[in-house]
Amino acid sequence: IFNKKGKQQWKIKAPWKNQYMPHPQAGSDFLGEDQWQWLTEELKKPADLRIIASGSQFGHDYNGYESWTLFPHERERMLKLIEETRANGVVFISGDVHWGEISKVEREGLYPIYDITSSGINKSWKSFEPNTKRVGKIMRENHFGQIEVDWTQADPQLAFSIIGLDGKKVVDHKIKLSELSFDVAGQAKSFR
């Protein structure tokens, strides 16, 4: 807590890392209603692949910093929106944590939702946070993220990569586009 002159008066010990804690009550917004309406209409449009760019991570565990996990009601709203609109091919790209990783959210009734996080093309980071949804390794040195789509295949292949500045892929995860789709009965396809 700071006084009017900007001097710290006392410290508050928080049970949450960096004093960033989830908002347990509904009504704490990550997106505004106009944004939700726009996104709903976009997800209803025909598309094979939809990439949602977010400045904060979507598909990871709580990391102690700004992210969708601090807004669990909004995060759940996003997952339900994808399910309700039957929007195939949704992938998130994100940043802001100074490391690179790929996360995978799995839940019943929905295909896996991937989040490719890349944030460190000009900054290395000495630490990183645990993440039970992480696919493959983590990259703390300078890097960039990449999504490649091979549209020449009958079932296009997606390659999610985290690449070091030397051009070497540190993380390279491949899936088929059909793995990000609902079947004709409206249920998520299971690929295990």
Side-chain angles (χ1 to χ4, degrees):
I1 302 295
F2 296 89
N3 65 21
K4 290 180 182 179
K5 294 181 182 179
K7 293 198 177 198
Q8 189 171 357
Q9 290 181 313
W10 65 86
K11 287 185 178 182
I12 297 174
K13 283 199 164 191
W16 307 98
K17 182 177 179 184
N18 301 326
Q19 299 181 0
Y20 287 87
M21 62 183 101
H23 300 280
Q25 71 283 355
S28 297
D29 297 333
F30 201 86
L31 299 179
E33 282 307 313
D34 288 344
Q35 292 170 307
W36 281 112
Q37 288 301 329
W38 175 84
L39 183 59
T40 300
E41 294 308 312
E42 291 301 308
L43 291 178
K44 290 178 181 178
K45 293 178 180 178
D48 294 319
L49 179 63
R50 298 166 168 90
I51 299 174
I52 298 176
S54 174
S56 300
Q57 283 187 294
F58 181 84
H60 67 102
D61 293 327
Y62 171 80
N63 68 12
Y65 302 99
E66 305 93 344
S67 77
W68 281 81
T69 57
L70 295 181
F71 297 85
H73 296 280
E74 291 282 277
R75 189 170 182 267
E76 180 62 20
R77 184 176 178 179
M78 177 68 79
L79 294 170
K80 282 183 179 177
L81 180 62
I82 295 167
E83 189 175 352
E84 289 168 2
T85 59
R86 295 295 184 245
N88 291 327
V90 174
V91 173
F92 283 80
I93 59 173
S94 63
D96 194 33
V97 291
H98 307 295
W99 65 79
E101 68 181 343
I102 297 171
S103 301
K104 177 180 172 184
V105 176
E106 295 183 279
R107 69 183 244 156
E108 193 167 331
L110 184 63
Y111 56 83
I113 301 294
Y114 287 89
D115 181 6
I116 297 87
T117 303
S118 174
S119 53
I121 198 162
N122 66 347
K123 184 162 181 86
S124 295
W125 204 250
K126 55 186 160 188
S127 64
F128 61 91
E129 301 302 319
N131 180 3
T132 62
K133 295 168 179 51
R134 184 176 297 130
V135 176
K137 298 178 182 181
I138 192 164
M139 179 63 162
R140 295 180 306 186
E141 292 77 30
N142 297 356
H143 67 278
F144 60 93
Q146 179 174 287
I147 299 175
E148 293 178 274
V149 184
D150 183 352
W151 294 107
T152 64
Q153 298 182 23
D155 187 359
Q157 179 176 275
L158 302 173
F160 307 137
S161 305
I162 305 294
I163 303 169
L165 297 184
D166 60 1
K168 294 181 181 171
K169 292 181 180 180
V170 176
V171 183
D172 189 28
H173 186 72
K174 294 179 174 80
I175 64 169
K176 293 293 188 177
L177 185 58
S178 62
E179 295 178 51
L180 304 179
S181 65
F182 293 94
D183 66 16
V184 291
Q187 299 298 313
K189 291 184 179 182
S190 178
F191 294 88
R192 300 202 199 301

